[in-house]
Amino acid sequence: MATGKVGEVTYDLLRPTAYPKWVLSCHQHIGRREAQEDRFALCPALYDKSSAFFGVWDGTVGDFASHNIRSLVLPHLLASKHWKAFRALGNGHVTPEHLRSLEEATKESFLKAFASLEGSEIATSRWSDQVLHERLAIVDPA
């Protein structure tokens, strides 16, 4: 269970839990399937107690990809030069530069996470930059 420490990630189901900024809970329902193939990651205090990371991965054809990718994306995000640029912009008013840096950091983290699984069963299909951009569905409100 997540205690709310900065940078702590949980992969476990979570009853409604109060954190400084919000209340979180996580529930799964597998329907008629024999096993739950979807995975998630929750980090209720990403770099301070007013930011968070929530990831949900679809395990459509088994849980190998969703299970492994959930623990790879966030470390790649935090190591990204684009994430560091995003953080350097500060926590004030969100600008188009903030959104560009965050978009690039997100794309880079997913590409590196998938690349780290190269040679495994997930590598049967390659994600192009265009497909990844469409899947991430990052929206610019401007």
Side-chain angles (χ1 to χ4, degrees):
M1 183 169 141
T3 63
K5 293 179 185 173
V6 172
E8 180 182 42
V9 180
T10 186
Y11 308 105
D12 300 320
L13 296 178
L14 185 65
R15 291 184 175 271
T17 305
Y19 294 96
K21 192 84 171 167
W22 35 68
V23 174
L24 297 179
S25 72
C26 184
H27 170 79
Q28 294 179 329
H29 178 71
I30 65 171
R32 296 180 188 169
R33 293 176 288 170
E34 292 182 25
Q36 178 59 274
E37 298 174 346
D38 302 342
R39 298 291 185 266
F40 62 88
L42 304 171
C43 181
L46 184 56
Y47 57 85
D48 63 22
K49 297 205 180 228
S50 67
S51 62
F53 174 86
F54 307 101
V56 179
W57 291 272
D58 183 13
T60 303
V61 291
D63 67 355
F64 175 84
S66 60
H67 183 78
N68 287 288
I69 208 74
R70 72 178 180 172
S71 61
L72 297 172
V73 170
L74 188 55
H76 285 297
L77 176 74
L78 298 177
S80 165
K81 67 180 180 182
H82 300 291
W83 176 257
K84 292 173 185 168
F86 170 76
R87 293 283 295 128
L89 292 170
N91 291 340
H93 177 71
V94 176
T95 67
E97 190 175 355
H98 279 90
L99 295 174
R100 276 191 298 280
S101 293
L102 188 55
E103 178 179 1
E104 291 302 317
T106 304
K107 285 177 13 181
E108 181 181 357
S109 68
F110 273 82
L111 290 172
K112 286 188 175 184
F114 283 121
S116 67
L117 292 175
E118 200 69 44
S120 64
E121 48 187 280
I122 192 174
T124 57
S125 64
R126 308 267 301 162
W127 285 42
S128 71
D129 190 52
Q130 179 183 355
V131 169
L132 183 61
H133 182 75
E134 291 168 3
R135 297 281 173 124
L136 293 176
I138 296 175
V139 178
D140 185 351

